[in-house]
Amino acid sequence: MTGNFLLDFELNFFKSLGVILSYAGWFIVPLILFSIFWYLRLRFIRRQFIKKMDFNLIEVKIPKDIFITAKAMEQIFAAMYSIYSFGAFKKWDKYVLGKVETSISFEIEGSFAGVRFYIYHPARLRKLIEMAIYAQYPAAEVHEAFDYTKSMAAHLPNSEYEVWGTNYILNRENYYPVKTYNYFEETEEEKRIDPLAHIVEVISNLKEGERIWYQVMIAGTGKAIGNDWQKEGEDKISEIAGRKKEDKNKFSVWGELNMWITNFFKAPFAEINWGEEKKEERPAGRFLTPAEQNLVKSISGKISKSGFETVIRIVYIDQKAAFTPLNIASILGTFQQFGASDINSFKPGAEITGMATFLSKISPRYKKMMEFGKKRAIYFRYINRRFGKTNMERKEKFPVLNTEELATIYHFPSLTIETPQLRRLETKKGGPPKGLPIIS
């Protein structure tokens, strides 16, 4: 009975589709084909634009006897905001030349050999990045490095290696903050906790053959590119405070026309009204509870600083025979420390959604195929430094983190991280002594 119903439904569906196409196909089919062409063309020209940019990978080493907090890294991220176009890209630039916002990738490589810190960036920004680093870490050593991702195959998992990976997104709207380094810091040095210590500890305890890669990609964001997250935060504060939101777009063509027609028929019988309403006195606001006051303070603190659209990825690689889920649990646990129920938190992003999720539930074979595809996709995007899935602007919603939040989840190691596998400079650089004789 069910089979006959489904068969009749399919026949009727395709019959109706055929009728629609016979009458409107001349319009619908070219429109669909043009949409597909436009989408593929944008992907192609934007990839070409990125490929033409020369990228460098640099390694940063910090002396082990230098104590500098994550505050210094926040200043480096603040300097990176200058690469944002601030709406300088016109439609011609975006849709004809394929220009996209410049992104920079801050990365950590963990293996049996040690833990290394890298920055992957356009070559033209090398001087800007080095100046920002040396301004905060004068004794640091910065040098060009071999791309560590090329030590593995271009496509994983394969017959030898297994892969697990995820991208992190925010649980709530972008204007809600996560816990930052200020929450972990204490006035007494021995009580200070480095928020990156847990992540580095997990990465540093790898056996031979294991690898954990950590990637934080950033691109400037703001009203000019359609992500006015700071304005959304201001509106939320007004809502919490009980202030009436002002309507800045009061003029409407249809509204004015409707008012004119209404007044035309009402004029012989009553006084007409052309919208000159009495201005209501703005409410003084309501009393805020301590929890609401803290929330307003938290949102205000986040939106007061520059923000970046952010892609956070973690990849775990090991040989199939030795692959263990224990490291996966440890990785997932590292991001729990940044969350709180009253503000915001991180969660793994869902790569499989919609119909794919439904099919994976009813078909174990399809679920296995989707999981394999997800692993390959996130590994491919990591090694190719893809900002999102396709580098297509506005097609994805990215989490927005401000400079303080970014400095919390990525900063160069402080003295409180005592992991022996961490690659540091054994000594710091020093200048020549004063009064040194000069041979002319």
Side-chain angles (χ1 to χ4, degrees):
M1 185 72 179
T2 306
N4 292 333
F5 171 76
L6 291 175
L7 181 62
D8 291 340
F9 174 78
E10 290 176 0
L11 289 173
N12 290 330
F13 172 79
F14 286 110
K15 185 178 179 181
S16 301
L17 184 62
V19 172
I20 293 171
L21 290 176
S22 65
Y23 284 99
W26 62 271
F27 174 75
I28 295 175
V29 173
L31 186 62
I32 294 173
L33 292 176
F34 178 77
S35 300
I36 295 172
F37 164 76
W38 186 257
Y39 174 78
L40 295 176
R41 177 189 165 279
L42 280 178
R43 287 188 60 174
F44 175 76
I45 64 174
R46 284 173 175 167
R47 285 181 186 176
Q48 292 301 112
F49 175 78
I50 293 171
K51 281 183 179 179
K52 289 177 182 177
M53 297 172 64
D54 186 21
F55 282 86
N56 287 341
L57 182 71
I58 57 174
E59 182 180 359
V60 182
K61 295 180 183 178
I62 307 296
K64 62 181 181 180
D65 57 345
I66 298 296
F67 183 84
I68 300 178
T69 67
K71 180 71 175 177
M73 196 68 201
E74 183 180 351
Q75 303 308 310
I76 294 176
F77 281 116
M80 297 303 102
Y81 197 67
S82 62
I83 68 173
Y84 172 47
S85 70
F86 296 95
F89 290 168
K90 307 302 180 184
K91 289 185 178 180
W92 177 270
D93 297 324
K94 289 183 178 181
Y95 302 112
V96 177
L97 303 180
K99 287 186 178 182
V100 294
E101 290 291 336
T102 303
S103 62
I104 301 176
S105 183
F106 295 80
E107 302 175 2
I108 301 176
E109 177 209 9
S111 66
F112 182 73
V115 182
R116 296 174 172 84
F117 288 74
Y118 299 100
I119 303 177
Y120 184 81
H121 61 89
R124 63 182 176 82
L125 300 177
R126 175 70 176 268
K127 191 172 183 179
L128 169 68
I129 292 172
E130 286 190 352
M131 288 173 60
I133 293 172
Y134 288 134
Q136 304 301 324
Y137 300 88
E141 182 180 290
V142 179
H143 62 86
E144 199 158 339
F146 170 75
D147 189 351
Y148 63 94
T149 64
K150 297 189 183 301
S151 63
M152 301 300 296
H155 300 283
L156 292 181
N158 57 18
S159 58
E160 185 180 359
Y161 285 95
E162 182 59 274
V163 168
W164 173 89
T166 189
N167 65 301
Y168 276 95
I169 59 176
L170 292 173
N171 255 317
R172 303 178 74 180
E173 288 82 0
N174 287 322
Y175 49 79
Y176 288 106
V178 295
K179 288 180 183 176
T180 62
Y181 61 83
N182 289 317
Y183 175 86
F184 299 93
E185 287 186 350
E186 294 283 348
T187 54
E188 298 179 30
E189 185 174 323
E190 61 272 12
K191 292 183 179 181
R192 285 179 178 149
I193 301 172
D194 192 313
L196 207 62
H198 191 183
I199 298 174
V200 173
E201 186 65 28
V202 172
I203 293 176
S204 64
N205 284 301
L206 299 175
K207 62 181 184 293
E208 191 170 358
E210 286 183 306
R211 290 169 177 81
I212 292 179
W213 297 345
Y214 176 54
Q215 183 179 77
V216 178
M217 295 188 71
I218 62 171
T221 186
K223 185 177 181 180
I225 58 173
N227 193 339
D228 198 3
W229 64 281
Q230 290 170 315
K231 177 62 170 60
E232 293 172 5
E234 292 171 359
D235 292 342
K236 185 63 180 180
I237 291 173
S238 297
E239 179 187 324
I240 296 171
R243 294 194 295 266
K244 187 176 180 180
K245 185 178 177 182
E246 295 181 5
D247 185 8
K248 295 183 179 180
N249 300 312
K250 291 183 178 180
F251 179 79
S252 169
V253 174
W254 292 110
E256 295 293 320
L257 181 61
N258 180 60
M259 185 184 298
W260 189 89
I261 295 172
T262 303
N263 287 332
F264 178 80
F265 288 103
K266 193 170 69 170
F269 311 103
E271 183 180 353
I272 61 174
N273 178 20
W274 292 107
E276 296 176 358
E277 300 175 358
K278 291 182 179 179
K279 291 184 178 180
E280 296 181 5
E281 292 185 4
R282 189 171 183 177
R286 63 184 184 82
F287 176 77
L288 299 182
T289 64
E292 289 173 329
Q293 291 176 18
N294 289 333
L295 182 57
V296 168
K297 185 178 179 181
S298 297
I299 295 174
S300 298
K302 175 163 184 178
I303 66 176
S304 66
K305 298 187 177 184
S306 301
F308 294 84
E309 289 190 322
T310 310
V311 174
I312 306 170
R313 294 191 184 101
I314 295 186
V315 172
Y316 169 57
I317 306 168
D318 195 9
Q319 295 180 345
K320 283 198 169 184
F323 193 87
T324 172
L326 293 178
N327 280 329
I328 298 174
S330 298
I331 294 169
L332 292 172
T334 59
F335 273 77
Q336 297 300 315
Q337 63 182 324
F338 304 121
S341 59
D342 59 332
I343 45 176
N344 216 335
S345 59
F346 291 104
K347 66 177 181 180
E351 294 286 329
I352 304 175
T353 57
M355 183 57 70
T357 304
F358 173 74
L359 292 174
S360 64
K361 287 181 179 180
I362 64 175
S363 172
R365 183 179 178 183
Y366 188 82
K367 181 180 180 180
K368 192 173 181 180
M369 289 171 55
M370 291 301 299
E371 287 177 349
F372 179 82
K374 176 184 174 181
K375 292 174 184 178
R376 284 221 160 180
I378 197 162
Y379 176 79
F380 177 81
R381 291 167 193 157
Y382 187 106
I383 65 174
N384 287 281
R385 277 84 179 189
R386 284 281 178 85
F387 198 87
K389 298 176 182 178
T390 61
N391 287 323
M392 291 280 285
E393 286 188 305
R394 309 279 70 82
K395 293 296 181 182
E396 297 178 61
K397 294 295 183 182
F398 300 103
V400 175
L401 302 181
N402 70 7
T403 53
E404 186 177 326
E405 292 171 309
L406 287 170
T408 302
I409 64 171
Y410 186 99
H411 55 266
F412 302 129
S414 67
L415 192 61
T416 57
I417 302 181
E418 300 178 354
T419 303
Q421 291 294 86
L422 197 59
R423 283 172 58 90
R424 298 181 188 263
L425 291 175
E426 293 300 320
T427 58
K428 63 179 181 178
K429 297 178 182 178
K434 294 182 178 180
L436 190 70
I438 300 174
I439 300 176
S440 57

